[in-house]
Amino acid sequence: MRNIQRAMIRLNFVRTLRYSPSSWHRRRAIGAGAPSCVGRRCAHSMDDMLKRTVAPMPTYETRDKSPPPAEASSLEFMRFYGGLERPQKLELLDKLSAQCGVDHRGVSELAAKLLEAQQRDLGTVLQVEDRLRYSLTPRYKLLLSHISRVEGGVKFLVDLRADVLEIISSQACDSPHIRDLNGALKSLLSEWFSAGLLQLERITWQSPCETLQKISQYEAVHPVRNWTDIKRRVGPYRRCYAFTHSAMPGEPLVVLHVALTEEISDNIQSIVREFSSLDAEEDIKKINAAVFYSISSTQAGLQGVELGNFLIKKVVRELQGEFPHLTQFSSLSPIPGFTGWLLGLLKGARGGGLLTGTEWEEVAALRPALMRLCAWYLYGEKRRGYAINPVANFHLQNGAVLWRLNWQADTSARGITASCGMMVNYRYFLEETTANSASYLGSKVIATSDQVQNLVSQFQKMSKL
């Protein structure tokens, strides 16, 4: 059986890597073969379809007594949407969000009644508040909820939100109704994908072939090169974990790769390029640290839904159960965006105090300059008071310490281009993560090591910030 599995991976691996996640999304779209519509006829058919599939809001008095719409309504909407091209999808979502949202006149009337009710007894105030709360529910939320109950419905809504996010990010539509639809979808998905409803799965070489293929396909940090590479990443001294959900069987939602090492790694090539034998027996005496070297979200539609934080915490508990002596937990993280920030900062900055005269003249002397610049980028560059770098912000929210900046930690072309070859360790001191997280989220304070703080101080002294 194992030989068959190996052969299947060899045969399908290259074929799998040819397809991006977006192309998989297109191939899986429900009703992909449905006829498309154009022009006025398309708009007319959209209006008719929405009338059939988006049920009126039950009155407040009958909200718990009204029977749910027929399953056929949800399926019709899914098939119709799946058969549209991108411009028509945008048009349908615009119609859905604008025409099937909140009854604004009814909300205004209830808001006025709530003001009048302030002079009456508390029971009356609470009842009017409850009516107002119910009236703020957009009508399309009922459709979304019913879609989630049919087979394939949750995956459809995850992909639907991915489309909404693409519309917003590309500025193809600036409608506030679209943004409100995005908020409603995110709220629903956050409930459906809460930590208590997720299953932790360890991925091994014995996992289903399709799962291994998807783990390879979704790897966004350090691309998998071949079938031997993925075997090593789930082999000795390595662990791979994923969150799954019963509503999306066979779909890993977020994937975490871990290296079990003697000390906290400062170089990614030692993890993804240098391996022990594929059949080696793990020596527990050589396992003193767990290094999280890649975490990848696989579903664009779950952006902003907290999964990675829970996955790291769950994996830490899992590893502590397997290795009770294990106390060192750290990431080895890329620094996306540093090079772009640096080029912008240095543009026209010659003589501006960022580099010394010697550093400008001697390329070999750039290491200390780049190290302090990168330390400042991670520590000092902010958006709304939080770290502008998304990877830094993720780990700092989780309560990690900005612990060590590593020179020539990723000498691949990708690493050089993104961050001048540097990487960073975010260290998880388990007894301090809760306090660190609260301090960062509440007071926007970043916990750092002496190494990082010294580099930041050097940058501030040089640049007079």
Side-chain angles (χ1 to χ4, degrees), residues 25-37 78-85 89:
H25 167 70
R26 288 193 297 271
R27 296 198 329 271
R28 286 198 301 259
I30 295 177
S36 60
C37 54
M78 294 164 71
R79 283 193 297 268
F80 187 92
Y81 184 85
L84 299 177
E85 298 297 329
K89 286 182 177 181

Side-chain angles (χ1 to χ4, degrees), residues 89-219:
K89 286 182 177 181
L90 191 159
E91 183 179 357
L92 177 60
L93 291 173
D94 191 37
K95 285 178 176 288
L96 175 70
S97 60
Q99 299 175 13
C100 306
V102 170
D103 177 4
H104 299 294
R105 178 179 294 181
V107 168
S108 298
E109 292 173 355
L110 280 170
K113 288 183 179 180
L114 180 60
L115 290 174
E116 295 174 2
Q118 299 304 308
Q119 306 303 320
R120 304 181 63 179
D121 61 281
L122 179 60
T124 300
V125 172
L126 292 176
Q127 186 181 53
V128 177
E129 286 179 345
D130 194 48
R131 284 177 176 270
L132 177 59
R133 189 180 302 112
Y134 179 72
S135 71
L136 287 168
T137 304
R139 189 154 57 97
Y140 56 69
K141 190 173 181 180
L142 294 178
L143 172 66
L144 303 179
S145 296
H146 290 122
I147 287 176
S148 72
R149 299 170 193 173
V150 304
E151 185 176 357
V154 171
K155 173 60 175 169
F156 172 85
L157 293 175
V158 170
D159 291 340
L160 181 72
R161 182 166 183 254
D163 291 343
V164 172
L165 288 170
E166 184 183 354
I167 289 170
I168 294 173
S169 64
S170 66
Q171 299 181 332
C173 177
D174 60 356
S175 166
H177 295 297
I178 290 288
R179 292 192 291 273
D180 198 49
L181 173 61
N182 176 53
L185 280 165
K186 180 182 177 182
S187 178
L188 287 171
L189 292 171
S190 296
E191 292 179 13
W192 298 333
F193 289 87
S194 62
L197 300 177
L198 300 173
Q199 295 89 41
L200 180 68
E201 180 179 344
R202 180 182 168 189
I203 310 301
T204 70
W205 189 240
Q206 283 68 46
S207 297
C209 182
E210 183 181 6
T211 299
L212 290 169
Q213 289 178 328
K214 288 182 177 180
I215 294 296
S216 304
Q217 170 201 347
Y218 288 133
E219 172 55 32

Side-chain angles (χ1 to χ4, degrees), residues 264-268 291 330-335 367 370-371 374-375 378 402-411 419-426 451-452 455:
I264 296 176
S265 305
D266 62 0
N267 183 285
I268 192 61
V291 179
S330 174
S331 77
L332 180 59
S333 301
I335 312 172
R367 172 176 175 171
L370 289 174
M371 289 282 281
C374 191
L378 294 172
L402 179 51
W403 187 64
R404 185 175 68 192
L405 202 58
N406 302 300
W407 179 253
Q408 289 190 331
D410 185 358
T411 54
S419 58
C420 302
M422 288 180 285
M423 299 186 76
V424 58
N425 297 114
Y426 298 99
Q451 184 231 28
V452 173
L455 289 168

Side-chain angles (χ1 to χ4, degrees), residues 356-408:
T356 67
T358 302
E359 288 168 345
W360 277 114
E361 299 299 330
E362 298 183 22
V363 175
L366 286 179
R367 172 176 175 171
L370 289 174
M371 289 282 281
R372 65 176 180 258
L373 283 161
C374 191
W376 176 257
Y377 169 68
L378 294 172
Y379 177 85
E381 289 298 310
K382 306 289 181 63
R383 179 183 290 116
R384 298 176 183 172
Y386 299 107
I388 195 172
N389 182 269
V391 180
N393 190 50
F394 169 78
H395 288 290
L396 294 171
Q397 285 188 52
N398 292 349
V401 174
L402 179 51
W403 187 64
R404 185 175 68 192
L405 202 58
N406 302 300
W407 179 253
Q408 289 190 331

